[in-house]
Amino acid sequence: MTTDEKQIIKKNIEDLKKELGDVVLCAVTKYHDLDETKEVIKNGVTVLGENKVQDLVKKIDQIEEPVHWHMIGHLQTNKVKNIVGKVDLIQSVDSLKVLRKINDESKKKNVVSDVLIQYNLTGEDQKFGFSEDETGAWIDEVKNLPNIRVEGIMGMGPHTDSKSAIREVFRRLKSLYDKIDSDVDQDNVHMKILSMGMSDDYPIALDEGSSMVRIGSKIFT
Ligand SMILES: *Cc1c(COP(=O)(O)O)cnc(C)c1O
């Protein structure tokens, strides 16, 4: 890495931290190598997100610094075993099938896995995630999954230039989060993390009550 590249990362993280206040920065290092990822950590970031199992496992194995690793990408059931017990949070639980699989693998390893339920409220069907109508289904399912702990929900804004359309989706995610928080009284369901906001739309997410943003490109450019 050049000194310039290091300076860019440093400045971007400093600026972001000021803007975020208490909101947690999950730095998305998915297109970046070990050196770049370590540079992010050197600047005080303690939560890192990856969207591919293989990259995530490689970084967990090769980076010694004590940081928190989050899986943020779509997870195939056959790869669940590779990350259970290694990651701190799986943000991208997008089906009952993967939820059950995480429970099974967690039981085998004698661990409890922290997860977020991923919602897709964008109306764009290429994205993975639950709809609002499926909320009761995962809550019922989790009753029978003692090795799962739901810590909150995750969602993305729609791919559009319309700030009002993005705001609308984030607002619905926040009200869903609040509703689950007030309605659900279950040992392994707690609304502690509302993960929404990426490089292009995080200011809107902050306005709408996000507690964690997942930011990649804005750190490196
Ligand atoms: C890549 C990615 C991000 C970060 O995207 P940027 O636009 O680079 O900030 C956030 N969340 C998920 C799920 C991602 O895959």
Side-chain angles (χ1 to χ4, degrees), residues 93-104 107 115 117 130 134-150 184 186 188-189:
V93 172
D94 56 15
S95 69
L96 296 181
K97 197 172 138 198
V98 82
L99 194 56
R100 287 184 209 113
K101 187 72 179 175
I102 296 168
N103 186 70
D104 289 349
K107 196 176 281 175
V115 307
I117 300 297
F130 288 86
E134 292 167 320
T135 302
W138 72 253
I139 291 170
D140 279 346
E141 188 71 33
V142 165
K143 282 183 191 149
N144 306 314
L145 305 177
N147 293 67
I148 292 281
R149 191 160 50 209
V150 178
V184 180
Q186 222 167 283
N188 60 349
V189 178

Side-chain angles (χ1 to χ4, degrees), residues 109-152:
K109 292 193 171 123
N110 204 17
V111 296
V112 174
S113 290
D114 289 337
V115 307
L116 304 183
I117 300 297
Q118 181 176 350
Y119 276 91
N120 174 8
L121 307 186
T122 64
E124 295 164 358
D125 43 67
Q126 76 276 20
K127 283 189 190 169
F128 297 102
F130 288 86
S131 67
E132 278 163 297
D133 292 347
E134 292 167 320
T135 302
W138 72 253
I139 291 170
D140 279 346
E141 188 71 33
V142 165
K143 282 183 191 149
N144 306 314
L145 305 177
N147 293 67
I148 292 281
R149 191 160 50 209
V150 178
E151 295 276 288

Side-chain angles (χ1 to χ4, degrees), residues 20-47:
L20 294 178
D22 290 338
V23 171
V24 177
L25 170 62
C26 172
V28 179
T29 46
K30 63 188 179 195
Y31 300 127
H32 301 276
D33 63 18
L34 286 170
D35 280 349
E36 289 170 295
T37 304
K38 284 183 184 170
E39 196 58 31
V40 169
I41 296 170
K42 255 192 214 159
N43 283 285
V45 172
T46 55
V47 179

Side-chain angles (χ1 to χ4, degrees), residues 1-204:
M1 289 184 80
T2 66
T3 321
D4 274 0
E5 285 167 335
K6 288 185 180 178
Q7 277 307 316
I8 288 170
I9 292 174
K10 184 177 162 67
K11 170 87 168 71
N12 285 340
I13 291 174
E14 272 171 14
D15 291 351
L16 273 169
K17 283 196 164 166
K18 279 186 205 136
E19 224 179 326
L20 294 178
D22 290 338
V23 171
V24 177
L25 170 62
C26 172
V28 179
T29 46
K30 63 188 179 195
Y31 300 127
H32 301 276
D33 63 18
L34 286 170
D35 280 349
E36 289 170 295
T37 304
K38 284 183 184 170
E39 196 58 31
V40 169
I41 296 170
K42 255 192 214 159
N43 283 285
V45 172
T46 55
V47 179
L48 289 100
E50 288 283 330
N51 72 335
K52 293 213 172 77
V53 167
Q54 201 185 340
D55 297 339
L56 180 57
V57 169
K58 182 178 157 200
K59 285 186 183 173
I60 291 175
D61 290 346
Q62 299 192 16
I63 293 179
E64 287 174 0
E65 287 82 349
V67 291
H68 299 280
W69 293 100
H70 291 186
M71 174 64 185
I72 62 167
H74 175 63
L75 189 52
Q76 289 170 284
T77 49
N78 64 344
K79 295 196 175 151
V80 166
K81 62 176 180 304
N82 300 338
I83 62 166
V84 163
K86 286 196 159 190
V87 292
D88 296 282
L89 183 68
I90 301 173
Q91 295 203 16
S92 44
V93 172
D94 56 15
S95 69
L96 296 181
K97 197 172 138 198
V98 82
L99 194 56
R100 287 184 209 113
K101 187 72 179 175
I102 296 168
N103 186 70
D104 289 349
E105 293 298 333
S106 302
K107 196 176 281 175
K108 279 187 206 163
K109 292 193 171 123
N110 204 17
V111 296
V112 174
S113 290
D114 289 337
V115 307
L116 304 183
I117 300 297
Q118 181 176 350
Y119 276 91
N120 174 8
L121 307 186
T122 64
E124 295 164 358
D125 43 67
Q126 76 276 20
K127 283 189 190 169
F128 297 102
F130 288 86
S131 67
E132 278 163 297
D133 292 347
E134 292 167 320
T135 302
W138 72 253
I139 291 170
D140 279 346
E141 188 71 33
V142 165
K143 282 183 191 149
N144 306 314
L145 305 177
N147 293 67
I148 292 281
R149 191 160 50 209
V150 178
E151 295 276 288
I153 66 175
M154 183 267 251
M156 292 184 215
H159 285 296
T160 170
D161 291 333
S162 162
K163 292 202 163 134
S164 62
I166 295 168
R167 188 175 295 278
E168 149 86 17
V169 167
F170 288 158
R171 197 165 283 180
R172 280 169 55 207
L173 282 163
K174 172 68 161 102
S175 75
L176 186 57
Y177 176 87
D178 288 340
K179 187 165 164 44
I180 297 167
D181 190 32
S182 61
D183 291 0
V184 180
D185 181 18
Q186 222 167 283
D187 276 355
N188 60 349
V189 178
H190 294 107
M191 291 298 105
K192 294 182 185 165
I193 301 172
L194 175 57
S195 173
M196 59 183 194
M198 307 180 10
S199 293
D200 288 339
D201 57 19
Y202 76 90
I204 305 173

